[in-house]
Amino acid sequence: MRSALFAATAFFSLAVQPVLAAEAPYVDDRSDAEAVIRSFYSAINRQEFARAWDYFGDTRPAKDFDAFVKGYSGTERVEVKTGGVSEDGAAGSIYYNVPVAIRATAKDSSENVFAGCYTRQVNASIQEPPFRPIFIDKGALKPSKAEFEDAVPASCGDAPPPPNKDAALEQAKKAFAVTYGDQCDKEMPGGEPLAEPDAYSLRYKDAGAEADQPEREMRLFRFFCSMAAYNESAVYYVYDDVSGVRQLQFASPELDIHYENNDSEGKVEAINVTGFQTDDQLVNSAYDDATKTISSLNKWRGVGDASSAGTYLFRNGNFSLVQYDVDASYDGEINPQTVVDYNTPP
């Protein structure tokens, strides 16, 4: 259960990076057990051995630092894959078990695959200074005959089984965090913690597909972003087995609105579409599985008498703008007019 990171120096001597040391990205993240593993390999790949050594606790992977560094003298690069992380608590500690596989390339271009398990953290709530973040306790990787892509162990010894993870959801959450982590609200409108994104499964066939061709699946994820006085924004991601995770961008028309006497509070004389743009967020939006549409309603002011609304239909694996309505009059009444209509048969 308490298997954690690398114990065998022989294993370390083969560890390497996927790119040249000078080009390897700098990753120093102790926010979770998996991140510690990737941070360790980042340090090894960049030949920042003092940083790599510091990821360990009292149990070290070599008799001293010099021996640790020497163990990597024949390495060129290493790739790492991790599996589902499980955890267990004992005696004031939290034990994280991280299944790991690596593909190590030596300087002579020979490759070896290793697989095993790792990690531990002292319970953060009971610590006194100096604080210890998640660190590598002990563990071991052994040579594996499996292909690198299939070498990650399903679980770690007698550790509790890892929770089932929605891989597509996890990828979408990471993409959202990278792009909008500093832009979107840190909590829900009521002050509660951010909720999980809404998730949907959409099944379809490619355009022109034969009748006996199996359906494909696309996953749709709606992330809350921010809440103003009367408008809530959301970001959408989709996932399929060909393109992976990608963010949806939504077409919207550029409008040229003419008011009587050039008075925006007066009568609307004309609304002209002069072009199209894309929006990365939708306002007051929702997905309707019955109609396979995402709809949005952007209120121009709180009473909602002036607004713009879009309807995006899912077909052939994509969402397309099929209708756009605009209520440009601030007259206290809800009376939109359709300026884009691919939704109504001729």
Side-chain angles (χ1 to χ4, degrees):
M1 176 191 311
R2 299 183 182 181
S3 60
L5 260 62
F6 347 51
T9 304
F11 143 64
F12 291 114
S13 67
L14 290 173
V16 198
Q17 67 189 37
V19 292
L20 296 177
E23 299 174 346
Y26 181 89
V27 179
D28 183 15
D29 184 354
R30 300 187 189 229
S31 59
D32 59 43
E34 180 183 8
V36 172
I37 303 300
R38 296 191 177 280
S39 297
F40 171 81
Y41 281 109
S42 165
I44 293 299
N45 292 341
R46 293 169 60 88
Q47 300 182 10
E48 296 168 353
F49 297 114
R51 178 162 70 92
W53 182 259
D54 189 60
Y55 288 115
F56 289 89
D58 295 333
T59 303
R60 299 290 184 172
K63 65 178 182 179
D64 55 37
F65 179 69
D66 289 340
F68 174 68
V69 174
K70 187 176 180 180
Y72 290 99
S73 60
T75 62
E76 180 62 30
R77 62 181 182 273
V78 65
E79 298 165 81
V80 59
K81 292 176 66 71
T82 57
V85 179
S86 61
E87 63 179 78
D88 192 24
S93 295
I94 300 174
Y95 291 89
Y96 295 99
N97 302 278
V98 187
V100 172
I102 68 164
R103 176 162 56 197
T105 304
K107 289 183 177 180
D108 63 2
S109 298
S110 61
E111 294 184 351
N112 292 276
V113 174
F114 296 82
C117 291
Y118 300 116
T119 306
R120 157 187 167 178
Q121 176 192 32
V122 177
N123 193 326
S125 64
I126 65 172
Q127 289 194 53
E128 296 182 356
F131 173 75
R132 288 299 309 272
I134 300 177
F135 60 87
I136 297 170
D137 184 22
K138 58 184 179 180
L141 298 185
K142 297 180 179 180
S144 174
K145 295 182 179 179
E147 295 293 329
F148 174 57
E149 291 74 14
D150 303 319
V152 178
S155 60
C156 292
D158 60 352
N164 292 327
K165 280 192 174 183
D166 185 332
L169 173 60
E170 293 303 312
Q171 290 181 44
K173 289 167 68 173
K174 288 182 180 180
F176 175 77
V178 168
T179 305
Y180 293 96
D182 295 329
Q183 299 180 37
C184 295
D185 293 348
K186 305 300 183 184
E187 57 187 24
M188 300 299 288
E192 62 272 21
L194 288 175
E196 287 286 287
D198 298 325
Y200 307 92
S201 178
L202 291 70
R203 307 197 73 85
Y204 68 100
K205 287 189 176 183
D206 292 322
E210 299 294 334
D212 59 350
Q213 182 173 323
E215 289 185 321
R216 296 182 59 189
E217 181 185 20
M218 175 174 284
R219 302 288 304 284
L220 172 68
F221 304 102
R222 179 189 185 276
F223 290 82
F224 165 80
C225 182
S226 63
M227 182 71 192
Y230 43 83
N231 284 325
E232 174 192 304
S233 69
V235 178
Y236 288 81
Y237 287 85
V238 291
Y239 172 90
D240 62 42
D241 58 359
V242 175
S243 302
V245 167
R246 57 186 173 89
Q247 183 182 351
L248 288 182
Q249 301 287 336
F250 297 92
S252 62
E254 297 178 340
L255 304 174
D256 179 22
I257 303 173
H258 294 268
Y259 294 92
E260 188 175 57
N261 299 322
N262 291 323
D263 180 8
S264 62
E265 298 291 329
K267 180 182 177 181
V268 177
E269 293 183 330
I271 303 177
N272 300 316
V273 175
T274 60
F276 287 85
Q277 62 185 19
T278 57
D279 300 321
D280 65 337
Q281 301 179 35
L282 286 185
V283 178
N284 298 328
S285 65
Y287 171 70
D288 182 356
D289 194 48
T291 60
K292 296 293 188 289
T293 58
I294 298 174
S295 59
S296 66
L297 174 62
N298 187 356
K299 296 180 180 180
W300 295 2
R301 67 178 182 179
V303 295
D305 61 337
S307 65
S308 55
T311 301
Y312 302 85
L313 175 65
F314 180 76
R315 54 190 174 190
N316 302 324
N318 291 293
F319 281 93
S320 303
L321 175 67
V322 293
Q323 186 168 328
Y324 203 86
D325 300 330
V326 178
D327 187 347
S329 61
Y330 296 85
D331 56 3
E333 298 181 2
I334 299 177
N335 47 8
Q337 65 182 84
T338 300
V339 298
V340 173
D341 188 1
Y342 302 109
N343 210 19
T344 303

